[in-house]
Amino acid sequence: MRLSYICLCLAILLTGCSAPSTSEHSGENTPVNILFAIADDASYPHFSAYGCEWISTPHFDRVAKEGLLFTRAYTPNAKCAPSRSCIITGRNSWQLEEAANHWPYFPAQFRSYVEVLQEEGYFTGKTGKGWAPGVALDNSGQQRHLAGPDFSTLKATPPTPDISNIDYAANFSEFLNARPEDQPFCFWYGGIEPHRAYTYGSGPELTGRAISQIDSVPAYWPDNERVRTDMLDYAAEIEHFDRHLGRMLDTLEAKGLLDNTLIVVTSDNGMPFPRAKSNSYEIANHMPLAIRWPAGIEAPGRTVDALVSFIDFAPTFLEVAGLKATSANIQPMTGKSLMPILRSEKEKIRDYVLMGKERHDVGRPEDVGYPIRTLLKDSFLLIQNLKPTRYPVGPPQTGYLATDGGATKTEILNSRLETPDTPYWAWCFGKRPATELYDLGTDTDCIFNLAGQPEYATVQQEMTQQLWAALKAEGDPRAMGKGAQFDAYLYSHEKDRDFYNRMIRGEPVEAGWVEPTDFEPDFPERK
């Protein structure tokens, strides 16, 4: 049974813990509510607050205008489950055992900030996609609600057959109606958009824009009608996410809760296109972020250029609730609270961001992953590919399973067959060197590898040393010579486990997230 806020305060006085933060609202001191809104597979800067003219996101823009717009927010791991694991725990993925991988069994010993807040008197819930995909059970085998109990029963007719029919905003209203009046709330809005699949060609009608209005196509994709159409279909799904956010803001305003709610809007990882999601380049890890909280933000309307990581969310939410990450009943956190930035006490909480990956989707022999460790500092991005003999997003024979199927992927695979020396396949699917170094100040597409060039030798050496010293300090098994444990963890989706070996043995295996034409069983002989 949940404590009322009064009972909670009495319990806090007896235990010596901090009470939930309060703010002045309608003449009363009330605990702060939390709304966390996360899109699924949307890259920075594809929200109009960043100047993107082919996507309109007025409600994200409102949050930014009335709060803070962050320009350098990064996820530590550019895939759904591991990125979300970092968000809910405040730890980097290599500190989370199985949860470093996609489709993991989430370790019972790691708790989410949502679980902690629920115990501390918050009314919690989520709609759409929470922590996923994977299996999360407690020590007794019971299902855990890492992002909160589900409120997703209300449906609406979606704009296309490939957009979710969950009425996110209506379910949020249901959640608020179910909330006891004396409880603060913590709600997770997990949009399933712009995750694939897309209804090809729906973008122009839904957005009211022409593909010619897309200002640029990344250098690692062909700039043609099919790719641009795919991009505009992606834009339409981001706008769908934003419309539901707008309805949620309206609901909060109508109920008098808007100004007493910390609102955080972001995405989990980069767009579901080749060389983006499931990689470690700029477009994969660089995320949109806007935060609104009138009671806690000094000088709203600011643009914040300070580096932040997704591991900073959980300690921020605990602090907003009056808890310290070091004293709450939760594992130690690596992330740092964003409160100094919100309060303008200082504009900087970190000098660098660590990123990386282990196993995302299967498709390699023995279900091994593609381990990467990455350091972003100043304008330089250092990428260390720890198993460069492996294909980075999976072997051709199994369809490059770590890149979702779609028009752009198909276009690039077909272009290699038509023009074998095209660079697009190599950039998106080919094997990579052990070390990559990019200057994001001049090369946001990460095309010109500076590793090994004499004029960047000092930068490369210093960043390499700093990367591995930081990883060792965080207990990363890769820094201890024990990285093989990440490959040994079982893929929790049993239907796809041991995919490569089963396919080679001739078993009928399917992967519903890629196209049948993505498979190249006779590679590399295929011409």
Side-chain angles (χ1 to χ4, degrees), residues 248-486:
M248 292 180 185
L249 298 178
D250 291 343
T251 297
L252 289 173
E253 197 160 26
K255 290 180 176 291
L257 297 170
L258 181 61
D259 286 348
N260 191 49
T261 301
L262 170 67
I263 300 170
V264 176
V265 190
T266 187
S267 176
D268 58 352
N269 48 250
M271 61 197 302
F273 284 66
R275 202 175 164 90
K277 175 183 177 181
S278 192
N279 289 272
S280 284
Y281 298 115
E282 170 75 351
I283 197 171
N285 293 78
H286 195 175
M287 295 290 99
L289 176 62
I291 298 179
R292 184 190 190 276
W293 182 29
I297 292 177
E298 295 293 333
R302 286 182 284 133
T303 296
V304 177
D305 296 322
L307 273 174
V308 300
S309 171
F310 275 19
I311 59 174
D312 301 331
F313 291 144
T316 302
F317 296 150
L318 293 184
E319 183 171 350
V320 165
L323 303 170
K324 292 183 179 179
T326 54
S327 60
N329 187 19
I330 196 169
Q331 64 281 334
M333 292 186 178
T334 308
K336 301 178 181 180
S337 172
L338 297 172
M339 290 300 290
I341 293 177
L342 303 189
R343 292 170 174 163
S344 294
E345 294 176 358
K346 58 180 180 178
E347 282 284 330
K348 184 178 180 181
I349 61 172
R350 56 176 68 250
D351 294 321
Y352 59 85
V353 168
L354 297 174
M355 297 172 283
K357 61 177 278 192
E358 285 295 334
R359 181 178 63 223
H360 283 176
D361 290 296
V362 290
R364 299 182 187 86
E366 316 309 325
D367 287 346
V368 299
Y370 188 81
I372 300 175
R373 294 297 183 268
T374 301
L375 175 71
L376 172 65
K377 185 176 183 181
D378 300 324
S379 68
F380 288 99
L381 182 71
L382 176 73
I383 299 173
Q384 302 248 289
N385 300 307
L386 306 183
K387 299 291 182 180
T389 60
R390 300 174 185 173
Y391 283 99
V393 292
Q397 294 84 354
T398 51
Y400 314 92
L401 293 187
T403 297
D404 297 346
T408 300
K409 180 180 181 181
T410 299
E411 188 74 7
I412 293 171
L413 294 180
N414 287 344
S415 71
R416 182 182 63 82
L417 300 180
E418 297 166 2
T419 310
D421 60 350
T422 179
Y424 302 119
W425 182 90
W427 280 326
C428 295
F429 304 113
K431 293 180 180 179
R432 295 168 184 166
T435 301
E436 300 175 76
L437 178 66
Y438 301 100
D439 185 351
L440 301 182
T442 58
D443 181 22
T444 56
D445 284 346
C446 300
I447 293 296
F448 304 104
N449 186 8
L450 306 176
Q453 296 190 18
E455 58 267 42
Y456 294 97
T458 299
V459 171
Q460 181 177 336
Q461 181 181 17
E462 290 178 352
M463 290 186 70
T464 300
Q465 292 174 347
Q466 185 169 24
L467 170 64
W468 289 102
L471 293 172
K472 186 174 183 180
E474 292 189 5
D476 181 357
R478 289 285 174 191
M480 312 294 185
K482 300 177 181 179
Q485 71 185 50
F486 292 114

Side-chain angles (χ1 to χ4, degrees), residues 210-226:
I211 61 173
S212 60
Q213 292 178 260
I214 297 175
D215 56 351
S216 65
V217 174
Y220 38 81
W221 305 333
D223 186 351
N224 60 31
E225 179 179 351
R226 189 163 182 81

Side-chain angles (χ1 to χ4, degrees), residues 194-210:
H195 195 288
R196 291 189 186 272
Y198 303 153
T199 299
Y200 181 78
S202 61
E205 179 180 355
L206 293 178
T207 65
R209 295 179 185 83

Side-chain angles (χ1 to χ4, degrees), residues 91-286:
R91 294 168 70 87
N92 280 312
S93 55
W94 44 85
Q95 298 179 299
L96 293 172
E97 299 179 5
E98 291 100 323
N101 292 338
H102 195 53
W103 277 101
Y105 290 97
F106 192 91
Q109 70 268 28
F110 297 121
R111 307 186 69 219
S112 75
Y113 73 83
V114 178
E115 293 173 311
V116 173
L117 291 182
Q118 182 171 328
E119 289 181 358
E120 295 294 334
Y122 271 74
F123 185 65
T124 66
K126 67 95 175 171
T127 191
K129 185 173 180 176
W131 175 84
V135 176
L137 305 175
D138 63 21
N139 287 322
S140 65
Q142 297 299 307
Q143 180 71 40
R144 296 171 66 185
H145 299 289
L146 297 177
D150 190 46
F151 287 78
S152 298
T153 58
L154 298 179
K155 310 297 182 182
T157 302
T160 76
D162 290 307
I163 289 177
S164 173
N165 67 351
I166 297 173
D167 192 334
Y168 307 114
N171 284 292
F172 179 53
S173 294
E174 282 288 294
F175 165 82
L176 291 177
N177 291 336
R179 176 184 68 105
E181 291 186 3
D182 61 350
Q183 282 188 274
F185 71 79
C186 173
F187 191 78
W188 176 296
Y189 162 32
I192 299 174
E193 295 75 32
H195 195 288
R196 291 189 186 272
Y198 303 153
T199 299
Y200 181 78
S202 61
E205 179 180 355
L206 293 178
T207 65
R209 295 179 185 83
I211 61 173
S212 60
Q213 292 178 260
I214 297 175
D215 56 351
S216 65
V217 174
Y220 38 81
W221 305 333
D223 186 351
N224 60 31
E225 179 179 351
R226 189 163 182 81
V227 171
R228 284 174 171 261
T229 299
D230 203 20
M231 293 174 69
L232 206 54
D233 294 344
Y234 157 82
E237 297 215 355
I238 291 177
E239 293 184 0
H240 180 80
F241 168 83
D242 189 70
R243 280 191 294 274
H244 280 269
L245 173 64
R247 289 171 57 196
M248 292 180 185
L249 298 178
D250 291 343
T251 297
L252 289 173
E253 197 160 26
K255 290 180 176 291
L257 297 170
L258 181 61
D259 286 348
N260 191 49
T261 301
L262 170 67
I263 300 170
V264 176
V265 190
T266 187
S267 176
D268 58 352
N269 48 250
M271 61 197 302
F273 284 66
R275 202 175 164 90
K277 175 183 177 181
S278 192
N279 289 272
S280 284
Y281 298 115
E282 170 75 351
I283 197 171
N285 293 78
H286 195 175

